[in-house]
Amino acid sequence: MASQPKPPPPPPRPKTRGNYNCGRCGQPKKGHVCVAPVPVAAPSGGGSAPSPSPSTSSGAASASGGGGGGEPHRLRRALSFDEAGTPSSPEKKPKVEGDVEMGEPEEGGEDDDDDAVMEVGGRPVPREVMAEVLRRLGPRGVMAAAGVSRGWRDCAGRVWRAADELRLRVLAGSGAGILAALLPRCAALSCLHLRMERDVDASTLACLASSCPSLKTLEITMAANANNKMTGEDLNHFVSEKPSLSVLKIGGCSNLDFINLCSSSLSVLWLSDLCSLSKSVMNCPNMSELSLCFEQQSNDCTDLVSLMDAMGRTCSNLNKMHISSNQLSNEAVFALESANLRGLSMLSLILGSKITDAAVASIVRSCTSLELLDLSGSSISDNGIGMICKAFPHTLSRLLLALCPNVTTRGIQLATAQLPHLQLMDCGMSLCTNLNNEKGPMFGDINGGIRIIRKLCAAKKQPIHQRLIIKHSNLKKLSLWGCSAIDALYVNCPELNDLNLNSCTNLHPERLLLQCPNLKNVHAAGCQDMLIGAIRNQVNQLNQLFHASG
């Protein structure tokens, strides 16, 4: 039987592809009945021009994230995070590498483009909502979103334009081009934190100088496998090109052969890993905080005496000073006295094994209202502590004397008895039976950060069976890390909440008494098991007694 002929195929449907959104209200056309009024044309004699519809303004963003053609420049409101009425994001994360912290939405000069919508998954979404979603992504995610469509690129541009603080981790395989491509989009950027896993040189600073015109804060930290190759001339040129820069923190500055900075806006300067500076000139009259950390090398030839002497003439408004160097000596402290920095409230001179009680006498004469004093790693004795107690009984709240082998229990008890406003005291590794083969932590930074360092100075062996009695009404943190010479400890501090007893190997459980009802953190790594059990029992009893009385 013959087969039936097949019917001819239907004619091809003509291509009539058009706009999927309504030209008047911006909603999808499918199943849509528009109720928006028809825009009235402006009279030819004058009057205001009609505002562009959302559909026409939705694709006006350029590839760089800026506004569309004809879009007026928007003024960005100055942020104040201290305002009580500033709402906080419920999903705000801690400041970590790779996260971008954005400012508040832009205000001033807004037009109908802020109310435009974009289609996401077949549904209309306001662009301001989409921009709020994108600002929770990292920089790489926002850059990837900009390549989806014109609407997504516009939302990514809003994110970059509103960026006030940016944290980036530059990987070893990426070049400086990633910074040159990203930073120009952030016109309002004022705070930049870089974690560099690749080398830093003059080209990196030049990119930052040209891409961030409003930069006020710059922090560069170096990974272990990255090198900072910038020289003193590169740093001086960068600071001179940034008249608005106020905070500068750079790590790995081992190639800075000299420092010659001149800036009227710079107020905070942190430089770490310095070595053998041939010249140190800082003409910064408004500088209030200075931190210089030198590498612990025996061949360091930095003249700290000249550096200290020059600070009084060029940085007379210093309020916080932190110097870490094994070249610190009494002569350097004497030069600091001649600098007449009487406004200092925080002074940290650490790892200076040549600093003795004579330097303490100089500090007492030159400083009148110290709140923090850190002489960790020095050779001061109990007599120096006595001078400190007589000079700052009403102001000193933090005293750090870690790795001071000439300090005994008498000096520690004297400090807690005559400094009523003391809140933090660090005596780690000071009361130690054997300093020659041990390592210990100390509070090495102005902000109280803990740093692990190697013992640098030799001292006589402390006697083992020592008893320490501490009674203080305001003390909150006490560090006795590595004090292996203590075998009896009595602490009566009602406000104490943090106690460090790590490596107190000779402390007997039956000779420990803690009368600290607010104690929350006790560090007892390296202690005997019976001592750890005694600490746990006493803390539990204090908590039960406190809850019962409350």
Side-chain angles (χ1 to χ4, degrees):
M1 183 177 180
S3 60
Q4 298 291 335
K6 295 182 180 180
R13 184 178 179 182
K15 296 182 179 180
T16 58
R17 184 174 183 179
N19 192 2
Y20 290 103
N21 295 336
C22 178
R24 286 182 288 175
C25 65
Q27 299 295 327
K29 288 182 177 180
K30 185 177 180 180
H32 168 65
V33 178
C34 184
V35 295
V38 179
V40 181
S44 59
S48 59
S51 60
S53 62
S55 60
T56 59
S57 62
S58 60
S62 62
S64 63
E71 182 182 5
H73 177 70
R74 296 174 183 167
L75 299 178
R76 182 179 178 279
R77 188 179 69 175
L79 298 181
S80 176
F81 294 103
D82 296 332
E83 293 178 359
T86 302
S88 59
S89 172
E91 300 181 7
K92 186 175 181 181
K93 300 180 293 184
K95 295 181 180 180
V96 296
E97 296 175 359
D99 286 350
V100 184
E101 298 198 354
M102 302 302 169
E104 296 180 4
E106 302 173 4
E107 293 185 0
E110 296 183 351
D111 53 16
D112 290 343
D113 183 64
D114 290 338
D115 298 328
V117 297
M118 59 181 294
E119 186 174 348
V120 179
R123 295 183 178 182
V125 177
R127 296 196 178 189
E128 57 182 8
V129 176
M130 195 62 192
E132 187 68 21
V133 174
L134 292 182
R135 65 190 291 266
R136 284 162 170 75
L137 299 178
R140 189 178 299 273
V142 178
M143 296 180 69
V148 176
S149 65
R150 289 182 299 176
W152 284 65
R153 185 168 63 243
D154 177 68
C155 294
R158 298 187 185 201
V159 172
W160 297 127
R161 290 193 300 271
D164 180 74
E165 179 175 354
L166 184 62
R167 292 177 177 265
L168 290 176
R169 185 179 58 160
V170 183
L171 301 179
S174 61
I178 184 66
L179 298 178
L182 175 60
L183 296 181
R185 306 180 185 183
C186 309
L189 187 65
S190 63
C191 185
L192 178 61
H193 302 262
L194 296 177
R195 171 68 176 178
M196 303 299 295
E197 297 183 2
R198 62 178 299 274
D199 294 347
V200 176
D201 51 16
S203 61
T204 307
L205 292 180
C207 176
L208 297 177
S210 60
S211 302
C212 306
S214 304
L215 193 63
K216 296 181 179 179
T217 300
L218 175 61
E219 182 176 354
I220 301 177
T221 58
M222 307 299 298
N225 56 347
N227 296 321
N228 189 343
K229 299 181 180 180
M230 69 176 67
T231 63
E233 184 177 358
D234 299 333
L235 183 62
N236 182 30
H237 186 65
F238 173 76
V239 173
S240 62
E241 287 187 347
K242 307 302 294 182
S244 62
L245 189 66
S246 60
V247 178
L248 181 61
K249 301 179 181 180
I250 302 180
C253 301
S254 57
N255 292 318
L256 291 183
D257 48 352
F258 66 90
I259 299 177
N260 188 7
L261 302 180
C262 181
S263 174
S264 59
S265 62
L266 195 62
S267 61
V268 177
L269 177 63
W270 288 18
L271 301 176
S272 62
D273 302 320
L274 296 168
C275 181
S276 298
L277 295 178
S278 60
K279 180 181 179 182
S280 302
V281 177
M282 287 173 284
N283 188 9
C284 305
N286 293 321
M287 184 179 293
S288 61
E289 183 173 339
L290 176 65
S291 176
L292 301 178
C293 296
F294 291 82
E295 292 183 347
Q296 306 308 314
Q297 297 181 358
S298 58
N299 58 351
D300 187 4
C301 58
T302 304
D303 189 359
L304 291 181
V305 177
S306 300
L307 188 148
M308 296 287 196
D309 183 66
M311 287 180 186
R313 298 190 299 269
T314 58
C315 306
S316 56
N317 293 322
L318 272 179
N319 181 259
K320 302 177 182 178
M321 178 185 293
H322 171 73
I323 307 294
S324 172
S325 173
N326 54 10
Q327 301 296 323
L328 282 170
S329 61
N330 289 344
E331 289 74 15
V333 181
F334 297 157
L336 184 64
E337 179 184 1
S338 63
N340 195 23
L341 298 176
R342 305 190 67 82
L344 283 177
S345 64
M346 296 184 180
L347 178 61
S348 176
L349 304 174
I350 69 172
L351 305 183
S353 58
K354 301 177 183 177
I355 294 179
T356 63
D357 292 341
V360 176
S362 176
I363 294 174
V364 168
R365 290 191 299 266
S366 59
C367 302
T368 58
S369 57
L370 282 181
E371 299 175 5
L372 180 148
L373 180 58
D374 187 355
L375 297 176
S376 299
S378 66
S379 299
I380 71 170
S381 64
D382 296 343
N383 295 330
I385 296 179
M387 289 186 284
I388 295 173
C389 295
K390 293 180 180 179
F392 313 110
H394 304 296
T395 60
L396 198 64
S397 61
R398 285 170 285 181
L399 181 61
L400 299 100
L401 301 173
L403 273 174
C404 295
N406 296 328
V407 172
T408 66
T409 55
R410 174 180 171 273
I412 298 175
Q413 293 175 163
L414 180 65
T416 55
Q418 298 189 6
L419 295 175
H421 299 281
L422 197 63
Q423 296 184 5
L424 182 149
M425 187 167 187
D426 180 16
C427 306
M429 298 292 291
S430 293
L431 306 175
C432 186
T433 57
N434 185 9
L435 286 174
N436 293 325
N437 297 321
E438 298 190 27
K439 298 179 181 179
M442 64 185 302
F443 287 86
D445 295 331
I446 291 178
N447 58 1
I450 296 179
R451 176 176 301 169
I452 305 296
I453 65 170
R454 188 180 299 273
K455 193 266 167 189
L456 296 175
C457 55
K460 61 182 181 181
K461 188 176 181 179
Q462 293 262 10
I464 295 181
H465 303 291
Q466 298 189 42
R467 182 180 63 177
L468 181 60
I469 301 175
I470 296 180
K471 183 177 181 181
H472 201 281
S473 58
N474 292 321
L475 193 64
K476 295 182 179 180
K477 293 186 178 182
L478 176 62
S479 176
L480 299 174
W481 196 96
C483 293
S484 56
I486 300 177
D487 70 335
L489 177 63
Y490 304 93
V491 182
N492 185 357
C493 301
E495 298 296 329
L496 190 70
N497 55 47
D498 194 298
L499 177 61
N500 193 336
L501 298 177
N502 287 340
S503 299
C504 292
T505 54
N506 293 320
L507 184 58
H508 293 283
E510 62 274 8
R511 305 190 68 181
L512 172 68
L513 178 60
L514 302 177
Q515 296 181 348
C516 311
N518 290 324
L519 193 59
K520 297 179 181 179
N521 301 318
V522 180
H523 311 274
C527 297
Q528 304 175 12
D529 293 339
M530 295 182 62
L531 178 62
I532 296 176
I535 295 174
R536 183 179 292 110
N537 293 335
Q538 293 192 28
V539 172
N540 291 336
Q541 292 177 2
L542 289 173
N543 291 336
Q544 293 177 1
L545 181 62
F546 178 76
H547 290 300
S549 61

